[in-house]
Amino acid sequence: MRKVVKLLALSLAMLVLAAPAFAGKLESIKAAGVLKAGVKDSQVPFGYVDEKTSKIVGFEIDLMQALADKLGVKLDVKPVTSATRIPMLTQGDIDIIAATMTHKKEREDQIDFSITYFQTGQKLLVKKDGGVKTVADLAGKKVGSAKGSTSEQNVKKAQPECTVVSFETYPEAFLALKQGKVQAVTTDESILLGLKNSDEKSGDYEIVGEYISPEPYGLGMVENDSDFRDFVNLTLMELWETGKFQTMYTKWFGKDTPNYIPLDWKLELWP
Amino acid sequence: MAYSFDFGLVVSGEYGEWLRQGLLTTLHISAISIVGSLLLGTLVAVLRLSRIKPLVWGSAAFTEFFRNTPLLVQIFFWYFGSYSVLPDFVNEWLYKRDFEFAAGVIALTVYTAAFIAEDIRSGVFAIPKTQLEASRATGLSFLQAMRYVILPQAFRIIIPPLISQFLNLVKNSSLVMAVGVMELTYMARQIEAYTFHGLEAFTVSTLMYLSISLVISFAVNMYNKRVLKIAPR
């Protein structure tokens, strides 16, 4: 058994190592004249396909555009999933990941993260008359979530008496809530908001509770390329200081949008 | 830059425990479904071989319907579709229990039973028709003839295809994660999401599936050899 494992690991490792070794990312991006960004294509309003233009738009796309502008190169966005984003990054198919990715210590092992560019927290989406108002009310009840998210363990820690049912996507979890199979759906507030607004009877549902856990989003880059990481971090700070970040934020999360989330946090700024 | 492997992470500690739990759930759901599908499949096959027309039509329709629709669709059908068919109080009763697991077992059982029924039917066809006629002539009823004469012989012949169905069932059980059953593949995915060490998690879970399959093949082949005294040709 151990031999087989070693053999498999070895062959996989060789496959991965066979990917072209690159010099600095900054140089290779400039040489190619294009920044390849891995983004979501169905996460309103972070990254989604616009019905009119059939192009991927969103808050994260605007951020990537700002990075590309700063570098003086073109932007090429590629949709990624939670399963493809890491291999695509390590193989060099994309230069950076901007896909509502929570920065976790355990994830640091495979890739590097930028400073936090979006902060949200995990909450509950419930039926208005469903009797669930806080995490404490979930005792003995079922709560829906989506696979590959960090929400499942978080809600389990906050309320050990609940049962988590994880679905492929959030719309399925929402359907389970509508049918009464689960009493709440839990994930980042920003995603819940998009989910609630997608329903015809969005008034029947509400987002409740305190933040179960903080969810800081970071941009993902390959390990040990300090020049590129510095460039990304410093550009984010510059965007904040010049007010461009806030303008971008208001465009997608401002009062006039259906996804209103007040900007009640500050970007980490190095002195 | 390259992917750094860390098998220790996924076979020990919290994540090792997740994989262990997932393996147990996979074994649990597979074992129930294997027994269930064998029983249901036999029933359907016998009904289809009977002379009573409505039973023949009914079992034929059952087989063709469940054999020719995707399993994933069936899993969603049992889980989400039952909502509008069943009365509210039944739904409420169901949802308080482990309905996800139950829907998964029903889907796997019914789907595999359709295939097993076909295997059994072809096994029965391989037994000379004169045997059934001879048994009926000695005074056995249709069901008695089936039970004591035909099916015992048919089952010997169809052991190899039956093993394939069982192995398919074990592998198909990974689909029930679509409705939130936390089996082996689900856990591997979850570890991927938490640590980005997906290659290790999937390597280990693949080896676990391989081991289950090999154990099943080995056990049934042994049964074949020792108990039924038939060597694989």
Side-chain angles (χ1 to χ4, degrees), chain A residues 5 9 16-17 22 82 86 106-107 109-110 142 147-148 150 152-153 164 166 168 179-181 223, chain B residues 1-4 7 15 18 79-80 83 95 97 100 177 180 182 186 189-190 192-194 196-197 207:
Chain A
V5 175
V16 177
L17 284 172
F22 19 70
S82 55
I86 301 303
E106 281 161 308
R107 287 173 164 177
D109 200 17
Q110 289 298 341
K142 284 186 189 170
K147 270 170 232 135
T150 44
E152 182 192 308
Q153 297 292 318
V164 184
S166 285
E168 209 60 40
Q179 294 191 345
K181 292 187 168 78
E223 285 264 292
Chain B
M1 288 305 169
Y3 194 91
S4 58
F7 277 97
Y15 300 123
W18 287 8
Y79 187 71
F80 284 115
Y83 176 73
Y95 300 163
R97 279 146 191 88
E100 290 76 31
M177 76 170 179
M182 301 182 185
Y186 176 101
R189 276 268 295 268
Q190 207 65 18
E192 204 282 326
Y194 274 73
F196 289 166
H197 279 283
L207 289 174

Side-chain angles (χ1 to χ4, degrees), chain A residues 5-206:
Chain A
V5 175
K6 269 188 186 159
L7 206 69
L8 270 172
L10 202 68
S11 44
L12 283 170
M14 289 203 314
L15 266 179
V16 177
L17 284 172
F22 19 70
K25 260 287 165 211
L26 272 180
E27 286 79 41
S28 71
I29 293 169
K30 278 182 186 155
V34 57
L35 173 73
K36 291 171 285 179
V39 299
K40 292 243 169 123
D41 61 359
S42 59
Q43 199 83 288
V44 182
F46 290 95
Y48 63 100
V49 178
D50 184 53
E51 281 176 10
K52 284 174 206 144
T53 60
S54 299
K55 278 190 179 145
I56 301 181
V57 296
F59 175 65
E60 284 169 337
I61 312 325
D62 282 2
L63 264 188
M64 289 299 105
Q65 188 63 55
L67 279 185
D69 289 348
K70 173 95 180 162
L71 277 167
V73 297
K74 279 202 302 188
L75 175 69
D76 181 12
V77 291
K78 295 187 176 185
V80 295
T81 67
S82 55
T84 62
R85 58 193 177 188
I86 301 303
M88 279 175 80
L89 185 73
T90 49
Q91 284 167 25
D93 297 332
I94 50 175
D95 303 315
I96 189 165
I97 307 173
T100 60
M101 198 162 57
T102 302
H103 189 172
K104 280 172 67 79
K105 282 180 203 149
E106 281 161 308
R107 287 173 164 177
E108 273 285 336
D109 200 17
Q110 289 298 341
I111 61 170
D112 277 350
F113 283 86
S114 71
I115 55 170
T116 302
Y117 67 93
F118 191 89
Q119 278 182 25
T120 180
Q122 190 180 343
K123 283 203 173 183
L124 302 173
L125 177 65
V126 297
K127 275 186 187 163
K128 262 196 178 144
D129 51 2
V132 177
K133 295 285 169 209
T134 66
V135 184
D137 297 334
L138 284 176
K141 296 205 164 83
K142 284 186 189 170
V143 48
S145 184
K147 270 170 232 135
S149 71
T150 44
S151 318
E152 182 192 308
Q153 297 292 318
N154 294 337
V155 73
K156 199 80 190 154
K157 270 180 202 133
Q159 177 51 273
E161 301 284 305
C162 73
T163 311
V164 184
V165 185
S166 285
F167 297 90
E168 209 60 40
T169 62
Y170 288 108
E172 280 165 30
F174 193 36
L175 178 61
L177 174 69
K178 281 187 205 170
Q179 294 191 345
K181 292 187 168 78
V182 298
Q183 277 71 48
V185 175
T186 184
T187 185
D188 306 354
E189 185 181 18
S190 47
I191 298 174
L192 290 180
L193 211 55
L195 210 56
K196 175 173 175 278
N197 288 330
S198 70
D199 196 70
E200 293 159 5
K201 294 183 192 164
S202 65
D204 293 358
Y205 304 93
E206 59 181 345

Side-chain angles (χ1 to χ4, degrees), chain A residues 179 181, chain B residues 40 62 65-66 69-86 91 94-95 99-100 102-111 179:
Chain A
Q179 294 191 345
K181 292 187 168 78
Chain B
L40 183 63
F62 173 92
F65 183 82
F66 288 109
T69 45
L71 176 57
L72 189 60
V73 175
Q74 292 184 29
I75 291 173
F76 282 126
F77 166 75
W78 293 111
Y79 187 71
F80 284 115
S82 57
Y83 176 73
S84 43
V85 184
L86 299 172
N91 278 334
L94 279 174
Y95 300 163
F99 183 57
E100 290 76 31
V105 166
I106 294 172
L108 276 176
T109 301
V110 170
Y111 180 79
V179 292

Side-chain angles (χ1 to χ4, degrees), chain B residues 206-218:
Chain B
T206 303
L207 289 174
M208 284 177 170
Y209 278 112
L210 187 66
S211 318
I212 303 174
S213 297
L214 289 178
V215 167
I216 293 179
S217 301
F218 183 76

Side-chain angles (χ1 to χ4, degrees), chain B residues 44 68 106 121 137 185 204 208 211:
Chain B
V44 171
N68 292 304
I106 294 172
R121 216 160 60 95
T185 308
V204 173
M208 284 177 170
S211 318

